[in-house]
């Protein structure tokens, strides 16, 4: 991506994230109330992720699971029918509403609208050993959505990760504003259809 496109991409990130946070503010209040009413614990789930060039940042999401969901299991990927997910959590995960707080991450520059999804350090360390070229995902900013997210499902197995890596690398090799717009349009279709991957 040439420098001018990178600058435009950042301007789009800032404008879109500001607009989204303002537009979705009433919805965010309703979701926060539903989460608090259903189960004890915080409204937001803040988790350390690995971002651009391996820099750690704090990713924000609405909490969709019981509090301290990994207290006994340790770091594990969430399954589609994970019994730790609350009733409210099932709804907001299906509609991707749990991801709305990440517009704050985009606004402050930790993330972009489009890019590979950020992963936790525990999994990054494991996957770098098992999958060649996995660290190449860290060459660009992580995204709220990406080519892999609209093309593949949840990360349930190592094979899922390998498959999604192919899409991430394809995106990195072909990054452009036109491709970003294509991914964003496809994401809207996926969200409105309440299907696809997280």
């Amino acid at each position: 991506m040439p420098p001018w496109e990178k600058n435009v991409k950042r301007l789009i990130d800032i404008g879109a994230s500001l607009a989204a946070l303002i537009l979705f503010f009433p919805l965010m209040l309703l979701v926060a109330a539903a989460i608090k009413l259903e189960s004890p614990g915080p409204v937001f789930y803040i988790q350390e992720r690995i971002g651009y060039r391996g820099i750690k940042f704090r990713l924000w999401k609405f909490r969709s699971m019981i509090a301290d969901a990994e207290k006994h299991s340790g770091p594990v990927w969430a399954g589609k029918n994970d019994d730790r997910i609350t009733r409210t959590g099932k709804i907001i995960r299906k509609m991707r509403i749990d991801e709305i707080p990440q517009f704050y991450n985009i606004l402050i520059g930790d993330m972009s609208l489009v890019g590979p999804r950020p992963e936790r350090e525990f999994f990054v360390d494991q996957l770098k050993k098992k999958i060649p070229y996995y660290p190449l995902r860290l060459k660009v900013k992580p995204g709220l959505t990406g080519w892999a997210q609209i093309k593949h499902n949840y990360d349930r197995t190592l094979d899922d990760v390998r498959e999604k890596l192919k899409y991430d690398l394809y995106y990195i090799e072909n990054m452009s504003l036109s491709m970003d717009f294509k991914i964003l349009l496809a994401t809207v279709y996926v969200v409105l259809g309440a299907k696809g991957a997280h």
Side-chain angles (χ1 to χ4, degrees), residues 69-87:
E70 293 184 336
K71 184 177 181 180
H72 301 294
S73 66
V76 292
W77 283 317
K80 191 173 182 180
N81 299 310
D82 199 309
D83 59 9
R84 299 171 300 167
I85 301 172
T86 62
R87 285 174 297 177

Side-chain angles (χ1 to χ4, degrees), residues 58-196:
R58 288 157 59 86
L59 178 140
W60 288 66
K61 296 178 74 171
F62 279 120
R63 180 172 61 85
S64 60
M65 293 187 176
I66 58 173
D68 298 320
E70 293 184 336
K71 184 177 181 180
H72 301 294
S73 66
V76 292
W77 283 317
K80 191 173 182 180
N81 299 310
D82 199 309
D83 59 9
R84 299 171 300 167
I85 301 172
T86 62
R87 285 174 297 177
T88 300
K90 288 178 181 177
I91 296 170
I92 63 175
R93 285 170 72 93
K94 186 174 183 181
M95 301 181 71
R96 306 291 186 90
I97 295 171
D98 62 321
E99 309 283 1
I100 289 176
Q102 285 166 52
F103 282 111
Y104 170 72
N105 288 117
I106 296 169
L107 181 63
I108 64 176
D110 292 330
M111 294 173 59
S112 178
L113 284 172
V114 180
R117 286 295 293 162
E119 190 52 88
R120 286 184 278 178
E121 185 176 23
F122 174 84
F123 293 119
V124 170
D125 289 342
Q126 297 294 316
L127 295 168
K128 282 195 296 187
K129 298 173 185 176
K130 297 177 180 179
I131 304 178
Y133 308 116
Y134 188 84
L136 291 177
R137 296 174 82 255
L138 306 179
K139 295 288 186 180
V140 299
K141 278 187 182 182
L144 179 65
T145 186
W147 192 237
Q149 278 59 54
I150 61 174
K151 289 292 186 179
H152 202 269
N153 216 313
Y154 283 85
D155 289 340
R156 297 190 185 94
T157 67
L158 194 61
D159 287 337
D160 286 333
V161 179
R162 285 196 181 98
E163 189 63 27
K164 289 179 81 169
L165 179 62
K166 295 176 186 176
Y167 294 112
D168 284 333
L169 295 182
Y170 178 85
Y171 171 74
I172 292 168
E173 290 172 1
N174 298 279
M175 280 180 71
S176 67
L177 290 177
S178 61
M179 187 169 188
D180 277 12
F181 287 129
K182 179 180 179 179
I183 292 169
L184 289 171
L185 287 172
T187 300
V188 170
Y189 171 77
V190 169
V191 172
L192 291 178
K195 60 183 181 180

